[in-house]
Amino acid sequence: MNIRSLALITMIFSLLLVAGCGGGGNNNGGGGGGGAAPGGAVNGAVAGTTVIAVDDTGSIVASDDTSDRPVDVDTDNDMVPDAYSFQLAGIPLNTAIRIYLIHDGATYPMYYDSEPDGIVDTNVFMLTAETTVDLGFVDIAVPGMEGRSIPQFNPTENMEVAAGILDPVIPAGINEPDTSGLTLNQLINRGLDALADGWVLGARTYFEEAVNVAGGSTANNADTARFMFALTRIAALGFDTLSDQDSSDMNRLGDILDRLGVANDDFRANWDLIDIAEPMPADSPTGNEYQTFLYDVVRPELIGAVDNLDAISAGFNKNWNDFISGSQTESDYGDVLFLRGSYKSMLASIATQMAYDLDADIDEIHNSNHDLDLNNNITVENFVTNNTVFLGLADTTKLMEAKNYLTASALDDFDAAIDEIVAETDDQLDDLVTIDMIGDPTLAKQKIAQVKESILNGATTVGQGMLDLKHFFDDGVDFRSPSDLLPPFNGNKVAGLFPDPTFDQVILQPDMNEDTNPPDGIPDILQ
């Protein structure tokens, strides 16, 4: 089963991965200071990538990235440059070295044929003397080598290079670039460069240190550090997939993947190639554990990101390159307000889900429904019947927490963001958040006001309906007790109307049991 099928995880993180950025290209340096120790260099060409070399401890010894550089290598001899040169300097001698390319959020370990016998067999080599190794073009799209980068020339073609023993584990240190001694602008530029290639975790490291260096400064570069850190500290949650080889906790996404039986190999940092074990391991996370992960791990990062955004001045403005769209993007205070409102809304959502019992033995359900025995399938009807407290109200204090995030913060931020964006007079086509994303500003502000009124004071017209969100957040709605508010099921299909279409007088209009298209005893909304 592909990891993307885990809706509980991907729904959260797809909302969070909002942007990436680019900046001036630079060599991010290697292992030592001053070049006192003897070392070598590795040269090559790539199609626009961050290139990282790590040693046998998993620490970065050299890196380079090609962001915002002109193409300067002609790989097909047509007299037209089509690739970017890179150099990894200061490679230590007699040390096992691994090279990784990071592109569009995925990590590609470099493999090569060490014999050579036509078989790609290792990703480790070492320099035995001071030399420069030419890899030629390092390709991440070689057929049959998905998830790996393959050099045009094997490093062992150089007589001063020895092959090493295969090590498929991507070290966590690959995402921990050295930030010591860098100025605020250097940290920002390196963070932007990292994001241009989708190296989200590396960018987070640079921007976090940039915020530390900025301190209480109100200058635009300090605000840039805060804005980019607010983006990347949340986005990084969805890229922290490497294993710490400790499956006893759930402090990172990588821990969840460990529990799901995902192999700790060189595909671990490439979403397209991550697969859950089949059958799912018996100790895979339960519904309650996913809830706790969101509350204990994701929530603190969201709070920290909101704090970063709170410190940004109203005059903030920054142009940067969005690696997702490949175009330049402008961010300003309207984006700050909109992003802050979005993060607070996510905090409200996380608090709301903690108010309910969402426990489920996910691996039992999955494995029963994917084996060859059709008699043990667990249908929605089976699950609802056997889990009488699922969707039951468990902690009403979390609903009050959610209410506070919405009424004291998030909705006001959205309202102010709309005013800020509407007031802008420059070209909006390159903005991170545009009016087109919001829709009709007047209608959007009206609905925001209606939702806030409903949460604070009760039954209110919201759009085409009428909601009493005050009752929902103040008193809570138990979907299972004292009466079951779920519709009846027959197997996996809905078999009737909602017992209470108002859901305990929360949805007053429209009629959730409307059954006209087609009139078959099933609510149209569930068709």
Side-chain angles (χ1 to χ4, degrees), residues 11 73 128 176 195 235 259 265 271 366 388 409 470 485 502 520:
M11 177 183 69
V73 177
T128 60
E176 299 169 2
L195 271 179
R259 293 275 299 277
D265 57 19
W271 274 105
H366 174 84
T388 57
S409 303
K470 183 178 190 297
L485 301 183
T502 70
D520 56 359

Side-chain angles (χ1 to χ4, degrees), residues 99-114:
I99 290 178
Y100 298 90
L101 274 60
I102 302 179
H103 181 71
D104 282 352
T107 300
Y108 299 83
M110 190 187 80
Y111 274 70
Y112 67 97
D113 176 10
S114 66

Side-chain angles (χ1 to χ4, degrees), residues 114-181:
S114 66
E115 295 300 333
D117 57 4
I119 299 174
V120 173
D121 54 11
T122 189
N123 63 332
V124 181
F125 65 90
M126 67 175 59
L127 276 57
T128 60
E130 292 190 49
T131 187
T132 297
V133 181
D134 181 16
L135 298 176
F137 182 70
V138 186
D139 195 351
I140 63 173
V142 175
M145 292 287 116
E146 288 76 13
R148 296 172 175 175
S149 58
I150 307 297
Q152 181 181 1
F153 308 123
N154 288 340
T156 51
E157 292 179 13
N158 184 312
M159 298 298 293
E160 309 297 343
V161 177
I165 299 173
L166 171 68
D167 185 353
V169 177
I170 300 177
I174 193 176
N175 294 314
E176 299 169 2
D178 184 12
T179 60
S180 58

Side-chain angles (χ1 to χ4, degrees), residues 19-23 191-197 207 228 231-232 320-323:
C21 333
L192 295 175
D193 287 346
L195 271 179
D197 293 326
F207 290 130
M228 293 303 175
L231 284 174
T232 56
W320 46 275
N321 293 323
D322 177 359
F323 85 93

Side-chain angles (χ1 to χ4, degrees), residues 11-315:
M11 177 183 69
I12 293 295
F13 291 128
S14 64
L15 289 172
L16 305 183
L17 302 180
V18 291
C21 333
N26 58 267
N27 189 309
N28 289 335
V42 175
N43 295 340
V46 290
T49 309
T50 292
V51 187
I52 297 173
V54 303
D55 62 14
D56 48 5
T57 70
S59 300
I60 296 175
V61 296
S63 64
D64 196 5
D65 101 67
T66 60
S67 300
D68 222 17
R69 292 182 185 169
V71 290
D72 58 353
V73 177
D74 177 15
T75 63
D76 54 9
N77 298 314
D78 64 354
M79 307 300 291
V80 179
D82 53 16
Y84 305 85
S85 62
F86 71 86
Q87 182 180 68
L88 303 173
I91 302 294
L93 305 183
N94 301 308
T95 300
I97 297 296
R98 284 168 283 169
I99 290 178
Y100 298 90
L101 274 60
I102 302 179
H103 181 71
D104 282 352
T107 300
Y108 299 83
M110 190 187 80
Y111 274 70
Y112 67 97
D113 176 10
S114 66
E115 295 300 333
D117 57 4
I119 299 174
V120 173
D121 54 11
T122 189
N123 63 332
V124 181
F125 65 90
M126 67 175 59
L127 276 57
T128 60
E130 292 190 49
T131 187
T132 297
V133 181
D134 181 16
L135 298 176
F137 182 70
V138 186
D139 195 351
I140 63 173
V142 175
M145 292 287 116
E146 288 76 13
R148 296 172 175 175
S149 58
I150 307 297
Q152 181 181 1
F153 308 123
N154 288 340
T156 51
E157 292 179 13
N158 184 312
M159 298 298 293
E160 309 297 343
V161 177
I165 299 173
L166 171 68
D167 185 353
V169 177
I170 300 177
I174 193 176
N175 294 314
E176 299 169 2
D178 184 12
T179 60
S180 58
L182 298 177
T183 67
L184 176 58
N185 285 336
Q186 287 174 326
L187 289 164
I188 291 172
N189 288 336
R190 293 195 182 190
L192 295 175
D193 287 346
L195 271 179
D197 293 326
W199 186 22
V200 177
L201 290 167
R204 183 198 187 280
T205 299
Y206 284 123
F207 290 130
E208 180 176 23
E209 181 59 20
V211 169
N212 293 334
V213 171
S217 171
T218 58
N220 194 64
N221 59 355
D223 284 339
T224 297
R226 297 179 188 112
F227 183 79
M228 293 303 175
F229 184 40
L231 284 174
T232 56
R233 69 186 303 168
I234 303 306
L237 293 168
F239 287 90
D240 197 6
T241 59
L242 299 182
S243 175
D244 60 5
Q245 303 186 54
D246 178 6
S247 59
S248 64
D249 56 20
M250 273 184 52
N251 299 321
R252 337 167 11 260
L253 182 57
D255 295 330
I256 294 177
L257 299 185
D258 287 343
R259 293 275 299 277
L260 292 171
V262 175
N264 187 20
D265 57 19
D266 49 22
F267 295 150
R268 191 65 179 257
N270 190 325
W271 274 105
D272 290 335
L273 301 175
I274 293 177
D275 282 298
I276 299 172
E278 287 286 2
M280 289 177 66
D283 65 342
S284 296
T286 64
N288 273 351
E289 287 180 297
Y290 283 123
Q291 278 185 286
T292 301
F293 177 82
L294 291 174
Y295 196 82
D296 290 350
V297 177
V298 176
R299 174 177 164 270
E301 288 299 318
L302 284 167
I303 292 173
V306 169
D307 289 342
N308 296 141
L309 296 170
D310 282 341
I312 295 178
S313 309

